[in-house]
Amino acid sequence: MFRLQSSKVLAVDMTGDAVKAKNGSMVAYDGDMAFKKLSGGGEGLRGMVTRRLTGEQMTLMEVKGHGTCFFADRASEINLVSLQGDKLYVESSNLLATDGGLRTGTSFTGLRGASQGNGLFTTTVEGHGQAALLSDGPAVLLRVSPQYPLTVDPGAYVAHQGNVRQSFQSGVSFRTFMGEGGGEAFQIRFEGDGLVYVQPSERNTIAGDV
């Protein structure tokens, strides 16, 4: 259903089924399509409450029909992820599209979300199907294992999946250590067994000296 027309354009072939995508990300389509704006990134009452508490806005649209629909967002790189009943945690700004059958929701992220100004919750995608992630430059897929925990700069984090524990450690930031200043005063530490998606260009954060 999902395929890359190029590294920056997602093509979704539909035969009467539906796909959820970032609002405004459709760039072209052929065939017969219907578009409907959805209320937000999370489903159900919890999603509504958490978005209201945090001010996090993730506007999605549902596309349904027969034909091919093309999606893109600001020439960002697109990365396809196949889910086999597992759960994907992704920054809401990095989620482009999901199969209509996948469930989206919200998950508490604590300090990282608060310090970045992106709300206290991150988006979850769960079920069987495909999701398309956005990244500033080609995403790098890094493995976390019990023997080798992984530490990531919060501005470069895109998503993670698997049996992974997430925590935060304070100290000298990567960029401050390199003498650039203005960097995050903490990092995200992942332990367990899973995968972490990292982009090669950091998004702007407001962590400062938090």
Side-chain angles (χ1 to χ4, degrees), residues 111-168:
L111 177 62
R112 175 173 57 85
S115 63
Q116 284 188 263
N118 292 338
L120 292 174
F121 295 80
T122 195
T123 299
T124 59
V125 182
E126 188 174 9
H128 291 80
Q130 287 183 294
L133 308 183
L134 298 167
S135 60
D136 188 359
V140 178
L141 190 58
L142 302 176
R143 175 161 290 281
V144 180
S145 68
Q147 296 82 12
Y148 297 100
L150 181 69
T151 302
V152 176
D153 189 295
Y157 168 79
V158 173
H160 73 272
Q161 64 186 129
N163 185 20
V164 175
R165 299 182 304 279
Q166 185 180 359
S167 61
F168 308 95

Side-chain angles (χ1 to χ4, degrees), residues 1-3 10-23 25-26 28-29 33-38 43 60-71 80 95-102 104 129-132:
M1 185 177 179
F2 282 22
R3 57 185 173 85
L10 171 69
V12 181
D13 300 314
M14 288 182 280
T15 56
D17 39 3
V19 62
K20 289 182 286 188
K22 195 175 201 177
N23 197 44
S25 63
M26 190 276 294
Y29 71 91
M33 299 289 173
F35 301 87
K36 181 174 69 173
K37 185 176 179 179
L38 301 178
E43 296 170 348
L60 296 177
M61 62 180 178
E62 182 184 72
V63 184
K64 189 174 183 179
H66 294 79
T68 302
C69 201
F70 301 91
F71 301 93
L80 298 183
L95 181 61
L96 177 64
T98 69
D99 280 348
L102 288 174
T104 57
Q130 287 183 294

